Amino acid sequence: MNYRIEASHLTLDYVPEACELTVTLQGTDISWSWSNKPFLVLTDHTSLILTDGDCESAAFDRGTTRGVRALYKNIRDGEGNPTHYSVETEVSLNLATGQLKAEARVLGDGMGELAALAYPPRMSFNAPEGHGYTVLPRMQGAILPAGHGLKFDDGLVFERAAYIPVYGQVHDGCGYAAIIDTPYDARYSMVGEEIQPYFAPSLGVMGYPRALIYSFFPAGDFNTIAKIYRRYLSERGELISLKEKIARNPRVEYLLGCPIVHTCAAVHIHPASHFYDPENPENNDHYFPFAATAEQLRELKRNGVDKAYLHLDGWGHHGYDNLHPEPFPVHEASGGAVGMKALQETCTELGFYFGIHDQYRDYYYDSPHFDLDNAIVDINGKHPYHDYWFGGPHSFLCAKLASDYVRQNYDEFERLGIKIDGSYLDVFSVVELDECFHPLHPMTRRECAEARAHCLNILTDRGIIPSSEETIGCMVNAIALCHHAPFYTTDWEDRNAENVGIPIPFFNLVYHDCIVIPWYGIHHKGAWGIAGTDRGFYWALLCGGTIYYDVDASAEDIAYGKVALELHKQVALCELVSHEFIDGHPRRRRSTFSDGTVTECDFDAETFSITYPDGTTVSGS
């Protein structure tokens, strides 16, 4: 049966039996249609197409929402045999917002039977080359021009493949934003130039309904898509600004116009670690005294650094990435607790902030009270095992148990008289959300995000600036500072890497005034997540971010870096209103902030300019 539903600027035609849907934007000649059939994937990789079964449908009208419910049952396998799975769906138009919502709930699945639900179907995308593009939230963000030919591995939402659960496509200025309304178990795949959203089970079963919301627009671009998602968050009270974070924790204000200085006290590489170097043992164990770091900071001050946030790695008993979640006592050869306290006091004396690296996911076998019963258990009853990082063999601590370790460790800092201004809880805001099937501490992915945020909120409650590695959307409200949030490149570790797609500050268009993001590089091209053709300094200007200073930065770098620091001080609390390609050229960019500040950068000519609201202009090359 064909159902037609009309809203203020949309007409929806829907045939549930065939799962065919077309959305027409009134006043345009462009329509958007589903291009495939939805399906279930069993754990043996068999696919069951929903329309290979019986379908019952009926229209409904709730006053503000009109739509169609459909039940797909007796879904047949490849041999024509009916299975015990059913899927309830609801496709609806919100008459107040003009948004289309597609929702599905799986019925009848048992523990571990299903691997995925692929619903809703893909939107067809037939834009000719030069007439459109796809917007992906891969790290900071990228657009893929029509005809790009790129191939991607499947992406997890709330991981580097999708910092935030929104994507979209634009065809001759007409487009849509697709917001994954149930993001915690969400994934996506690229099939040619079409995006297939799909959902994984939660603790072995599909359980709750899964939904996606489409917002269609007759004129707009990637800025439009970002702002649709920003409003979605704001309406739900999920857009927590830096102003609000400062009100709760006044120390956060120090970060405005503040460079990050990153250094390490000690390294010990376990023989089982991927990084262990048997040929050069000196690479496996080395340290730098806290007192020597203090002298480097004094030199930075003498060279003109007025304020700085020190991020100190490797302060624990065995150095960096060892013994967590119980890294105490402080590394003795570097100076022990007395030396660490003296370094902190030097920071205070210089007007700098003292921040540390910490870790509550990797659960090292040689941690003082290691108990495998505290580790994550997968659906097969197994514990994850890894030995890649410096500390060697480890599993993953169940995030539900992490908060007590946070309290214990920061109580110990207080006992030692070491004032911690900021702390970086490693990987919490970048690695995939964990599940745990342990009967004593079961945990869904959403509960994992909540548990990680709990740990960071403990820091905030103690007046400590909370930070973490990158910026997955479900953690932004719990952190004030991240390590970096750059772009998806062909090889993050290679300074000569290439951009994958055309980089855009998609994440910053949503969250710029909610988090402080530093950028690498002042006088060189390429860095972690920055292509070899680009200067991180220019991205700092375009994204309104702060920068890193090397602990032994030259006076020249310090002076030049102040351009970005002054800009950050001006715009850190402002929304990034828009980002443009000047004259359509992707190597010439312009960003506009809500206070009226405008930055422009030409990556090829290697020039920049900043125009402040009072008309003052700063430029350079």
Side-chain angles (χ1 to χ4, degrees):
M1 181 174 179
N2 183 31
Y3 296 89
R4 170 164 284 195
I5 305 169
E6 294 184 333
S8 58
H9 69 288
L10 297 178
T11 299
L12 173 69
D13 290 289
Y14 179 42
V15 181
E17 290 80 7
C19 211
E20 294 175 350
L21 178 142
T22 299
V23 178
T24 303
L25 277 73
Q26 296 170 11
T28 76
D29 59 358
I30 295 178
S31 61
W32 300 88
S33 301
W34 283 347
S35 68
N36 66 312
K37 309 301 182 186
F39 56 94
L40 294 168
V41 181
L42 306 185
T43 50
D44 66 2
H45 307 296
T46 301
S47 292
L48 303 176
I49 298 173
L50 268 57
T51 53
D52 287 349
D54 303 324
C55 178
E56 300 172 356
S57 65
F60 65 86
D61 187 340
R62 298 193 186 109
T64 60
T65 306
R66 295 176 188 165
V68 178
R69 294 190 193 92
L71 173 65
Y72 300 90
K73 59 183 182 178
N74 300 321
I75 301 170
R76 295 171 178 81
D77 61 21
E79 298 179 353
N81 302 311
T83 66
H84 59 279
Y85 303 111
S86 299
V87 179
E88 292 180 331
T89 67
E90 188 173 288
V91 173
S92 60
L93 271 181
N94 186 307
L95 304 183
T97 66
Q99 293 175 323
L100 168 67
K101 186 174 185 178
E103 186 172 359
R105 181 172 186 171
V106 178
L107 306 174
D109 63 314
M111 172 66 71
E113 292 181 358
L114 294 181
L117 165 67
Y119 185 89
R122 306 188 300 270
M123 279 289 179
S124 61
F125 187 64
N126 300 311
E129 188 172 348
H131 288 264
Y133 54 82
T134 299
V135 179
L136 289 184
R138 297 182 88 89
M139 297 177 69
Q140 181 68 226
I143 60 175
L144 311 179
H148 59 79
L150 295 169
K151 294 183 179 180
F152 296 94
D153 293 334
D154 287 6
L156 278 66
V157 171
F158 295 145
E159 200 249 6
R160 285 185 179 123
Y163 275 177
I164 49 180
V166 56
Y167 61 86
Q169 295 184 301
V170 177
H171 184 174
D172 287 334
C174 166
Y176 71 88
I179 298 172
I180 302 173
D181 194 41
T182 51
Y184 289 96
D185 302 295
R187 310 283 188 267
Y188 72 92
S189 61
M190 293 290 295
V191 181
E193 296 193 52
E194 298 176 350
I195 305 170
Q196 176 63 67
Y198 67 96
F199 298 93
S202 177
L203 288 181
V205 294
M206 281 297 172
Y208 63 92
R210 314 303 173 90
L212 190 145
I213 296 172
Y214 298 95
S215 293
F216 296 90
F217 50 88
D221 59 10
F222 61 83
N223 291 277
T224 310
I225 296 169
K227 297 310 176 183
I228 287 169
Y229 185 58
R230 181 179 167 94
R231 183 175 182 183
Y232 168 92
L233 294 170
S234 183
E235 286 186 344
R236 288 157 177 78
E238 297 175 9
L239 191 77
I240 308 301
S241 70
L242 280 168
K243 288 181 181 178
E244 294 170 277
K245 292 174 182 179
I246 290 168
R248 184 179 177 195
N249 182 357
R251 269 202 182 111
V252 172
E253 188 171 16
Y254 182 86
L255 297 175
L256 310 187
C258 178
I260 311 303
V261 177
H262 192 166
T263 192
C264 184
V267 166
H268 166 72
I269 302 179
H270 191 285
S273 167
H274 163 82
F275 292 95
Y276 187 75
D277 186 352
E279 304 301 322
N280 300 284
E282 68 277 7
N283 293 337
N284 300 320
D285 282 279
H286 52 87
Y287 67 93
F288 195 75
F290 295 131
T293 299
E295 182 53 39
Q296 288 178 316
L297 297 178
R298 292 189 186 96
E299 183 66 14
L300 283 177
K301 187 76 171 185
R302 287 191 287 267
N303 283 336
V305 176
D306 301 318
K307 63 190 296 190
Y309 177 101
L310 177 69
H311 173 104
L312 179 67
D313 287 332
W315 55 267
H317 182 50
H318 281 180
Y320 178 68
D321 266 1
N322 269 260
L323 299 178
H324 294 293
E326 297 180 273
F328 283 101
V330 176
H331 193 265
E332 191 61 35
S334 296
V338 172
M340 189 175 183
K341 185 174 188 295
L343 174 58
Q344 172 261 298
E345 289 171 344
T346 298
C347 284
T348 301
E349 171 195 332
L350 297 173
F352 296 172
Y353 267 21
F354 182 70
I356 62 167
H357 169 280
D358 207 354
Q359 159 74 261
Y360 296 92
R361 186 181 187 244
D362 296 341
Y363 189 30
Y364 288 94
Y365 283 15
D366 56 357
S367 189
H369 297 95
F370 178 83
D371 183 346
L372 200 55
D373 212 34
N374 295 333
I376 283 172
V377 174
D378 66 21
I379 193 171
N380 300 311
K382 305 292 185 181
H383 299 284
Y385 173 85
H386 290 264
D387 55 16
Y388 188 85
W389 304 117
F390 286 6
H394 65 275
S395 189
F396 295 147
L397 178 69
C398 180
K400 276 192 172 180
L401 307 179
S403 59
D404 285 337
Y405 287 102
V406 175
R407 293 188 190 93
Q408 173 180 281
N409 287 337
Y410 290 84
D411 284 348
E412 179 65 5
F413 279 124
E414 290 182 15
R415 189 189 70 80
L416 294 170
I418 301 172
K419 186 186 76 170
I420 306 297
D421 294 311
S423 182
Y424 163 100
L425 303 192
D426 202 357
V427 309
F428 268 8
S429 65
V430 61
V431 297
E432 64 186 272
L433 300 172
D434 297 313
E435 285 190 309
C436 183
F437 288 79
H438 196 296
L440 297 181
H441 44 84
M443 180 179 69
T444 65
R445 295 182 184 93
R446 181 169 192 155
E447 289 171 333
C448 176
E450 292 167 350
R452 291 180 184 180
H454 182 194
C455 294
L456 291 155
N457 285 329
I458 289 171
L459 300 178
T460 294
D461 191 58
R462 295 182 179 221
I464 297 169
I465 296 172
S467 69
S468 192
E469 187 162 353
E470 295 182 40
T471 53
I472 57 175
C474 61
M475 303 305 299
V476 174
N477 288 341
I479 59 179
L481 168 69
C482 74
H483 199 59
H484 47 208
F487 301 99
Y488 212 84
T489 60
T490 51
D491 184 343
W492 299 312
E493 304 296 336
D494 184 358
R495 280 179 53 174
N496 295 311
E498 298 177 358
N499 288 310
V500 178
I502 299 172
I504 56 170
F506 187 56
F507 179 90
N508 270 38
L509 284 162
V510 177
Y511 280 117
H512 173 261
D513 54 337
C514 300
I515 187 170
V516 174
I517 300 174
W519 293 82
Y520 291 114
I522 294 177
H523 281 112
H524 64 76
K525 294 182 180 180
W528 198 98
I530 298 173
T533 55
D534 299 351
R535 294 188 185 276
F537 179 77
Y538 286 180
W539 281 119
L541 301 184
L542 290 168
C543 294
T546 188
I547 57 168
Y548 281 95
Y549 277 150
D550 292 336
V551 70
D552 57 355
S554 67
E556 180 187 13
D557 275 1
I558 290 168
Y560 206 76
K562 287 184 177 181
V563 173
L565 297 177
E566 286 298 318
L567 173 66
H568 185 250
K569 186 177 180 180
Q570 173 75 26
V571 303
L573 303 182
C574 299
E575 179 184 350
L576 175 55
V577 174
S578 67
H579 183 78
E580 307 166 68
F581 300 162
I582 299 173
D583 298 328
H585 198 298
R587 300 289 292 166
R588 298 175 59 207
R589 307 291 190 101
R590 178 187 296 117
S591 290
T592 302
F593 297 87
S594 58
D595 69 336
T597 298
V598 177
T599 63
E600 294 187 359
C601 294
D602 188 322
F603 285 95
D604 290 336
E606 298 194 339
T607 58
F608 72 86
S609 68
I610 304 167
T611 304
Y612 288 103
D614 65 0
T616 301
T617 299
V618 178
S619 60
S621 62

